Amino acid sequence: MNSMGWAILFKMGCFCTRENVIINGTKYTVLEQVAQGGFSIIDLVENSTTKTKYALKRMTCHGIEDQQIALKEIQLSGSINHKNIINVVDYQIKGNADIVINATSEVYMVLPYYKNGSLQDHLNYRARSKDFMSETQALHIFLGICEGLKALHETKPDPIAHRDLKTANICLSDTMEAVLVDLGSATEARVQICGQQDAQRLQDLAEERCSIVYRAPELFNVQSYCMIDERTDIWSLGCVLYSLCFFKCPFDYVYEKGDSVALAVLSGNIIFPEDSPYSQDMHDLITFMLRVNQMERPYIYSVIERANDIITKSESRL
C-alpha cells in the first residue's frame, strides 16, 4: 500500500488494530488514551459484550513494593463505599513482580468512566471565557469533595489522608457531583515523626507523590519531631476551592514563573484577584484552610459547617 493509502486508513480509523484487553475473562476494547501520568496510563475502554464504557488504569510495577501500592489503592477504593469516592469495578495483576526479583508486573483497574472528565478539564474550559461559577454552584461541587474527604478521614481503625488532592484528581459525575479519584498516594493520615531519618523519608515520599502546588507546608520541610495528620488534605482542599473560584491554584502562578513554590507556600501569602466575584466569606473560607501552621488549620467538619453557612447566607440574599 502506498503512503497515501496508509494516511487514508489511519485517518478513517482501523478497527482491526484496536487493542483488546481481557480482565478476569471479560473483554474490553481500547477506544483511546485518556491520560498518562508518572505511574500509570488511563484508557477509555468498552466492554465488548455490554458496550458499557469504562476507564482502564494500567500501572506498571517495578517490583513488589510498587505492586503493594497498587493493591492498597484497590483495597482502599473497595473498603469505602461512598458516592464521592471512586470504586474499582474489577482488577487483575499480570506478571510476577511478587515472585521474581527485579521482575515487573502490570496492575489493571477497571474504573467508572466519567464523561464530564475531571474538575481540571471543566475549569480549563471555563477559564477560556472567564466563566466564573456562582458562589452556590462552586460550593455545591466543593461540598461533594469535602464529603469524600470526610469519608477518608473517618476510616476505621485509623484515618486515611488522600495526600494528592487536586483538581485533576476530582472527576465530575453526570449530575456534576464531585468524585475523588486516584487514591495511589493515600496513606495513614497520622504519622509520628521521630528523628531526622523519619522526617527525610516522609519529605522524599511527599516530593514523589504529592503535587507541588497543592502540597501542604509541613510536607516541604518536615520537622524532625512532629505529628503529621489529615490536615495536610485541608491545605490541598483550600487550594482546590481557590481553583474552583479562579481557575488556577494560588501557587500555579509561582510555579509557571519558575520561582520557588516551597517559599511561596511557607510564606502563606494568598492573593485574591481584585475583580473577584466572590464574597468576603468565600475568601475567608479559603484562608481558613490555607493556614501555614497545621495546628491552626481546621478539620473537615469545621470546613463543611462554614461552607454550608455561606450557602445559607447566599440563599437568604436572593
Side-chain angles (χ1 to χ4, degrees), residues 127-148:
R128 293 188 197 113
S129 55
K130 294 203 83 175
D131 180 17
F132 293 100
M133 293 186 202
S134 70
E135 197 154 284
T136 52
Q137 186 181 8
L139 286 171
H140 170 74
I141 293 174
F142 177 71
L143 280 169
I145 301 165
C146 290
E147 290 297 334

Side-chain angles (χ1 to χ4, degrees), residues 149 152-153 159-165 187-191 214-219 226-239 286 288-303:
L149 210 52
L152 287 175
H153 292 182
I160 296 292
H162 188 287
R163 288 273 175 85
D164 196 21
L165 186 68
T187 186
E188 291 77 12
R190 296 172 186 175
V191 183
Y214 289 86
R215 193 184 309 161
E218 59 272 22
L219 297 177
C226 67
M227 170 69 90
I228 303 292
D229 64 26
E230 57 267 40
R231 285 173 289 183
T232 54
D233 283 344
I234 301 300
W235 176 276
S236 304
L237 187 62
C239 293
I286 292 169
F288 182 52
M289 293 180 278
L290 294 179
R291 292 180 176 173
V292 174
N293 185 340
Q294 176 192 271
M295 303 311 291
E296 296 175 359
R297 219 174 292 147
Y299 289 94
I300 191 65
Y301 310 100
S302 300
V303 174

Side-chain angles (χ1 to χ4, degrees), residues 173-186:
S173 72
D174 290 354
T175 55
M176 295 299 284
E177 289 281 344
V179 181
L180 306 191
V181 303
D182 197 348
L183 302 179
S185 298

